[in-house]
Amino acid sequence: QAWTSAIHGRWGTVDMADLLAFFDACLAAEHRLDPRRTAVMGGSYGGYMTNWITGHTDRFQAAITDRSICNLISFGGTSDIGMRFWDDELGLNFHRSEGALRLWDMSPLKYVENVRTPTLMVHSVLDHRCPIEQAEQWYTALKLHGVPVRFVRFPGEDHELSRSGRPDRRLRRLEEYLEWLEEWVPGAAQQEQRTADTRA
């Protein structure tokens, strides 16, 4: 409950600081981790944070943004999440001029000129929670700025691809993840497989 109060109306501030502090604590606690071989990734709000982080730091060697948000203004009225989502989450909305200005300040797209991190984008064509226009805007902006980017679109799938999508598509999604990591953070895919084998 305390965190919900701390983050209300402050996307891209305390949340980024919290995530990076946790990341730094992991690096400090586990010396086998190599800070020169890292990636940032997430889906939905985690995709928003991935986009936001790469627009504010270049410390990661690769990014994977899945069913993400990049433009909080155009998100309003196009997502199935409801008319008042931004009011509830941020105390703002796109149909009021002052709110729109502040939503733009919290939009990763505003800072896309700063992005240098090679980015894999995964999005489902039938995603109505985070409409695919969000991914299309982010992809286009990254391409225009010369950032290495790959956009993987899944037809016939929605926001739940990772949890309840068709099995072959869920597998392809994970393969795309590993292939991207192997390209930009060499050895990461093999390390992930070794970790999985150890846990098994």
Side-chain angles (χ1 to χ4, degrees):
Q1 289 302 315
W3 177 247
T4 61
S5 298
I7 198 174
H8 186 262
R10 302 176 68 191
W11 281 25
T13 59
V14 293
D15 43 4
M16 177 175 164
D18 192 55
L19 290 170
L20 293 182
F22 176 75
F23 177 67
D24 287 332
C26 291
L27 291 176
E30 183 51 75
H31 298 295
R32 290 180 300 173
L33 299 177
D34 185 349
R36 299 163 301 177
R37 297 175 60 250
T38 62
V40 58
M41 61 187 73
S44 196
Y45 169 76
Y48 164 86
M49 283 308 305
T50 298
N51 298 343
W52 182 269
I53 286 171
T54 58
H56 290 80
T57 179
D58 59 1
R59 68 182 296 182
F60 297 98
Q61 286 69 58
I64 301 174
T65 185
D66 197 326
R67 59 197 187 279
S68 73
I69 303 170
C70 74
N71 184 340
L72 275 59
I73 298 175
S74 67
F75 183 85
T78 60
S79 170
D80 69 357
I81 210 162
M83 293 184 182
R84 294 192 50 81
F85 180 71
W86 287 146
D87 287 297
D88 295 338
E89 287 290 319
L90 304 174
L92 307 167
N93 219 319
F94 72 99
H95 60 89
R96 296 186 291 267
S97 57
E98 181 182 353
L101 290 172
R102 291 182 61 200
L103 287 172
W104 181 242
D105 288 340
M106 284 186 271
S107 295
L109 193 59
K110 178 177 178 179
Y111 310 95
V112 72
E113 293 171 280
N114 302 327
V115 178
R116 300 292 180 269
T117 311
T119 301
L120 170 66
M121 302 180 56
V122 176
H123 217 102
S124 296
V125 173
L126 301 181
D127 192 335
H128 300 300
R129 180 59 41 87
C130 296
I132 198 165
E133 58 94 13
Q134 294 288 313
E136 290 165 342
Q137 288 184 68
W138 193 240
Y139 172 79
T140 301
L142 291 177
K143 284 294 277 188
L144 289 171
H145 287 287
V147 178
V149 60
R150 175 172 167 78
F151 186 6
V152 181
R153 301 163 62 105
F154 283 92
E157 297 292 347
D158 58 21
H159 198 67
E160 298 300 308
L161 168 64
S162 65
R163 296 176 280 263
S164 59
R166 212 172 75 180
D168 60 325
R169 293 173 179 161
R170 291 165 66 188
L171 179 61
R172 182 66 239 165
R173 171 181 170 271
L174 295 175
E175 290 171 344
E176 290 284 348
Y177 270 47
L178 293 177
E179 289 168 11
W180 191 256
L181 291 174
E182 190 56 35
E183 180 175 357
W184 295 101
V185 191
Q190 289 90 335
Q191 179 62 41
E192 182 64 26
Q193 186 59 54
R194 286 194 295 270
T195 302
D197 292 343
T198 301
R199 289 173 180 163

